Amino acid sequence: MSSHNFTETHLAKFREICGNNNVVTKPELMSAHLTDWRKRYSGNAIAILFPENTSQIVAIIKYCQHQKVAITPQGGNTSTCGAATPLANHTAPQIIINLARMNKVIEVDRVNSSVTIEAGCTLQMVQEIAASHNLYFPLTLASQGTCQIGGNLATNAGGTQVLKYGMMRDLTLGLEVVLPNGNIMQNNHKLRKNNTYLDLKQIFIGSEGTLGIITRATLKLFPLPVNYLTFMLPVEKLVTALTLLEKLKHYYLNNVSAFEIIKDDSQKLYNQQFPDAKLPFTANWLLLAELEINADFNLDNFISLLESIGINPDDVLIASNDKQRRDLWLIREHIPLAEKAYGYAVKHDISLPLGKIEEFLATSMPKLRKIEADGYFSIFGHLGDGNLHYNFGKKGASLTDTEALEEQVSQIVYQDVINFGGSIAAEHGIGIAKKQWFKKYTPVENLELLQTLKKQLDPLNLFNPSKIL
Ligand SMILES: Cc1cc2nc3c(=O)[nH]c(=O)nc-3n(C[C@H](O)[C@H](O)[C@H](O)COP(=O)(O)OP(=O)(O)OC[C@H]3O[C@@H](n4cnc5c(N)ncnc54)[C@H](O)[C@@H]3O)c2cc1C
């Protein structure tokens, strides 16, 4: 049989399992799913499948196993490292399984403070359903209107509220996963304590679609914060910001919920891209921080705390209403968009011990300047978590120019990250973009263990082949 006939046989089977409308083959409808968010990677697939329930996923996977069809699980396709893009030249036929049509809210349990959902719900849907019950789901990403909970789980997403609430791994009580052999791992419980041997769900959180398809999840909910103190201030040196963070944590304990930073070049990109919503300050660094507060909050004490470390309260912009709070957050959320609109840059999503960040920057930035004297540094991110988006670009650079710079730039950045005890992938994962660096910097014994796990679960290497490992 020719490959065309094989494809037609596969498609007929997929239509039988999912229904005609849930198997997309028209190129114009497929194209957005075959290219990543940053438009760096493109692949191909014989179809995009939109199953409506777990049983359909089981049937698709069993068929794919039998026919050796490779699968790329996909959520909102907002991965910044090409994790959800199929390969360009894979030998086996490939399909994408997108969970957009599995977006039911199954239960909000107010007593247990949890929500059980299908994995295709967008993050924003979950935030909204929680709020409608006077509860709170804290994961917050600029991509929240598009990314899906399945994708958030598969990438162990972080975002701006990690300081208080943790990453997706910390926010998850239970999972249902369809494994590469078509079995369902049932772990979708609501328990906060469950020490029945290993916590299997944690293997799949952060697995980037390589070990199965996450179909349902039960997530923790929290009381809605009563109020916020959201403020922005210019700082010259990171040490001032880190001293402030330390003081805030001591004084307000676990109520420091966000602590974000934006470097001067990123501020310039923002002002160019959004001239109607210019920044209130420009400085070496802009700090955006938030406390969760209640009726007992005393502004005078807060001001005294600022003064105690030499910060002039007149330099601090405090949001006085919800609109101002939203506007401050929009600035932070629009930084990656401003950068994307400006052109390509070599991007890194790194983390470091807080006390090493300044030294890391002082070491790596001059080295990068030597490579490209006119280069700009777009550095922003979740300072409170030690997580920087550390991007280096050249004005007007094309993708090809940037790729030419990438190897040399990333080698310097990642080697310095490792030298200072950091991680080359803080919250966005590995995907295609960081595969070579992941292999380079992961101890060989750890790699072997991960490869053993992958081989055991997916011996035919059908799930997101050639990513990560
Ligand atoms: C503007 C912008 C801002 C962002 N900000 C942040 C941020 O602050 N913090 C952060 O952590 N990330 C951030 N991201 C990255 C991205 O949004 C997250 O990684 C998100 O969790 C991906 O979800 P998704 O549904 O889009 O997944 P996709 O991009 O579709 O997929 C990501 C990975 O998950 C796998 N996958 C998807 N669904 C499933 C499933 N159901 N089962 C198994 N595997 C699956 C895919 O195969 C792939 O490996 C940002 C992205 C953008 C575009």
Side-chain angles (χ1 to χ4, degrees):
M1 209 163 32
S2 73
S3 71
H4 174 75
N5 288 341
F6 273 123
T7 301
E8 285 310 316
T9 310
H10 297 327
L11 293 178
K13 185 66 185 177
F14 295 139
R15 289 187 182 112
E16 182 192 317
I17 295 170
C18 301
N20 280 345
N21 293 338
N22 294 332
V23 179
V24 169
T25 54
K26 285 196 176 135
E28 64 274 23
L29 298 179
M30 290 173 76
S31 66
H33 295 273
L34 295 172
T35 302
D36 74 310
W37 186 79
R38 286 171 58 196
K39 311 235 176 301
R40 277 201 68 184
Y41 304 103
S42 285
N44 49 51
I46 58 171
I48 308 193
L49 274 52
F50 291 90
E52 291 179 4
N53 55 53
T54 302
S55 313
Q56 289 180 359
I57 293 187
V58 169
I60 297 164
I61 290 179
K62 285 191 169 160
Y63 178 78
C64 289
Q65 277 289 331
H66 192 245
Q67 298 292 325
K68 301 191 177 44
V69 175
I71 297 169
T72 303
Q74 193 178 72
N77 197 19
T78 65
S79 165
T80 57
C81 49
T85 310
L87 301 174
N89 297 307
H90 197 44
T91 42
Q94 302 182 92
I95 58 164
I96 288 176
I97 299 185
N98 188 300
L99 270 79
R101 294 183 192 162
M102 288 178 61
N103 61 358
K104 287 197 237 6
V105 175
I106 294 157
E107 186 195 18
V108 176
D109 184 337
R110 293 173 62 108
V111 177
N112 197 55
S113 293
S114 61
V115 60
T116 302
I117 39 115
E118 287 184 330
C121 286
T122 63
L123 171 54
Q124 191 169 324
M125 276 178 71
V126 174
Q127 293 167 340
E128 286 171 1
I129 192 79
S132 72
H133 288 77
N134 215 21
L135 289 163
Y136 179 53
F137 185 63
L139 189 78
T140 307
L141 317 179
S143 53
Q144 62 203 23
T146 311
C147 64
Q148 298 175 9
I149 292 296
N152 301 150
L153 286 157
T155 57
N156 184 28
T160 55
Q161 305 295 306
V162 171
L163 198 54
K164 177 171 166 69
Y165 295 98
M167 297 178 74
M168 206 53 187
R169 199 179 283 295
D170 307 296
L171 299 172
T172 307
L173 295 172
L175 284 191
E176 175 186 271
V177 182
V178 183
L179 303 174
N181 64 6
N183 287 348
I184 300 176
M185 186 206 66
Q186 269 308 352
N187 185 253
N188 198 14
H189 58 72
K190 300 180 180 180
L191 305 174
R192 278 172 169 74
K193 283 189 166 181
N194 178 16
N195 264 351
T196 48
Y197 196 39
L198 300 180
D199 188 355
L200 284 176
K201 69 175 179 286
Q202 296 297 354
I203 295 172
F204 299 93
I205 301 177
S207 64
E208 295 190 42
T210 60
L211 300 180
I213 299 206
I214 299 166
T215 45
R216 285 185 179 204
T218 300
L219 307 171
K220 293 180 190 170
L221 298 179
F222 298 83
L224 259 180
V226 177
N227 209 341
Y228 297 99
L229 183 88
T230 308
F231 56 98
M232 183 175 266
L233 67 150
V235 287
E236 275 317 300
K237 287 189 182 298
L238 273 188
V239 65
T240 312
L242 291 172
T243 309
L244 175 62
L245 176 64
E246 200 183 335
K247 284 266 176 194
L248 290 172
K249 286 202 282 200
H250 273 98
Y251 196 79
Y252 296 104
L253 306 173
N254 190 31
N255 292 313
V256 191
S257 55
F259 205 81
E260 301 286 308
I261 198 96
I262 306 168
K263 182 93 177 91
D264 50 2
D265 280 356
S266 303
Q267 298 163 31
K268 282 184 206 141
L269 300 189
Y270 176 92
N271 279 338
Q272 277 175 30
Q273 192 60 29
F274 303 106
D276 297 337
K278 279 215 160 126
L279 296 172
F281 318 98
T282 47
N284 192 17
W285 296 96
L286 265 194
L287 179 64
L288 171 63
E290 189 159 88
L291 304 178
E292 289 185 5
I293 58 173
N294 56 28
D296 298 337
F297 180 77
N298 182 319
L299 189 62
D300 291 339
N301 289 349
F302 174 72
I303 287 175
S304 304
L305 184 148
L306 294 175
E307 286 170 338
S308 74
I309 54 166
I311 294 175
N312 180 352
D314 292 340
D315 291 341
V316 180
L317 176 65
I318 299 179
S320 57
N321 55 41
D322 206 46
K323 156 117 185 33
Q324 279 186 9
R325 173 178 181 249
R326 273 305 317 141
D327 287 348
L328 288 182
W329 274 112
L330 276 180
I331 292 173
R332 168 61 187 85
E333 286 160 14
H334 281 164
I335 297 290
L337 305 178
E339 194 189 285
K340 188 180 183 200
Y342 194 67
Y344 288 95
V346 184
K347 292 177 187 279
H348 310 95
D349 162 41
I350 55 174
S351 65
L352 290 141
L354 291 182
K356 295 289 179 191
I357 293 179
E358 201 132 48
E359 223 181 319
F360 159 79
L361 294 171
T363 308
S364 63
M365 287 172 78
K367 292 184 197 165
L368 298 188
R369 276 256 177 270
K370 273 195 193 148
I371 298 178
E372 189 54 69
D374 299 335
Y376 65 86
F377 287 93
S378 179
I379 306 176
F380 58 93
H382 318 295
L383 180 65
D385 312 322
N387 176 192
L388 296 181
H389 302 306
Y390 183 89
N391 306 331
F392 184 66
K394 194 182 156 196
K395 189 177 177 194
S398 65
L399 177 57
T400 320
D401 298 339
T402 308
E403 279 174 347
L405 269 184
E406 182 155 13
E407 176 90 20
Q408 213 182 351
V409 167
S410 295
Q411 176 60 62
I412 289 171
V413 173
Y414 290 143
Q415 191 57 56
D416 281 342
V417 164
I418 297 297
N419 292 348
F420 285 104
S423 164
I424 64 158
E427 61 173 7
H428 291 177
I430 306 294
I432 304 174
K434 275 175 254 168
K435 178 175 166 169
Q436 62 156 316
W437 305 106
F438 174 71
K439 286 189 133 173
K440 177 167 182 172
Y441 289 116
T442 304
V444 70
E445 297 78 2
N446 300 22
L447 261 185
E448 273 172 24
L449 181 58
L450 293 167
Q451 280 158 347
T452 305
L453 182 68
K454 167 75 174 167
K455 274 194 197 123
Q456 193 64 35
L457 282 172
D458 183 19
L460 298 177
N461 192 22
L462 294 179
F463 273 74
N464 234 349
S466 284
K467 308 277 170 61
I468 308 177
L469 291 170

